[in-house]
Amino acid sequence: MKNTMKNIGMALLSLGIISQATIPVRGNDIFIGTRGPTEHQLDVRASYTEKKDAKGISTRTFAQNDVLKYWNTLVKRAGNELGVFGFANISAYRSVDNGKARSKGFGDLTLGMGPRGTLSLDGGKGGSLHVIGYGKAIIPTADVKTPALGNDRTDFGAGAFLTYLSPNRKFEIDGAVDYVWAGRNSRGVKGMDVLSGGLIAGGQIYDSKKLELRLAGGLNGQIRDDGAYSYGPRAVLRLTPKFQSGKKHGHFELIGDYDASAKNMPKGFGVLGQLRINF
């Protein structure tokens, strides 16, 4: 069991080293590589970020996103699973204020899908590894305004979420990596490709008949193809209420990010709250 945990930890640590030079992957949180208890899930997200560039100009962004997710299990054998994952990230509202002008409206739409799987390690004695892979398209549905609410171009990307869970599921390591190939905007200008990712670790800190609390922390960030980067710490707190029926109807998460270091990119902080509903 110790060797299994060491090998998994080293693999995810390597992912974290690659992604230290990155901004937060918004999907990177607790249990990120696992499927939900039901086939359908809705995330209702609200976030606020404040970034300052090298000229001292601060940009404040408020966003409300709704993320619809679907996953299934096509093959299940001896604790191992294989299935399909799909999602739609709807940027229902964005407000961007740079101190001189403010824009608000609809943001870009992201659609994606790919395989998912679960691997039982040493018959479950070594815990389990959960993986979701995906390809995605970012569609320019944002209102064309200044400051920009979207990218004004179609981008394509690919990535993966990974979660290692200890045998009793009280400890976890979560990793995420994402690469976006930028397209050209309406003026023919190509955007910057971006590699982003992160690594967090933590687990259960409180458990009762009515409530479970989990806490995790680590690093997240991004690096562009021109060498610009930002990275810093991320903290995640999850509150899961327990119902007499035993069903997991959903939970609430609070996520905080801070850019500890940046090169040729705005630097600042962000907070995100999300209500996750299973149905």
Side-chain angles (χ1 to χ4, degrees), residues 10-20 160 162 174-177 197-199:
M10 289 301 294
L12 291 176
L13 180 59
S14 299
L15 172 63
I17 293 170
I18 292 171
S19 60
Q20 279 182 15
L162 302 94
D174 305 285
V177 63
L199 181 73

Side-chain angles (χ1 to χ4, degrees), residues 59 61 94-98 103 106 142-152:
T59 299
T61 303
R94 286 179 66 84
S95 172
V96 182
D97 188 345
N98 62 12
S103 297
F106 201 78
D143 298 325
V144 180
K145 296 181 179 180
T146 302
L149 296 174
N151 292 329
D152 185 32

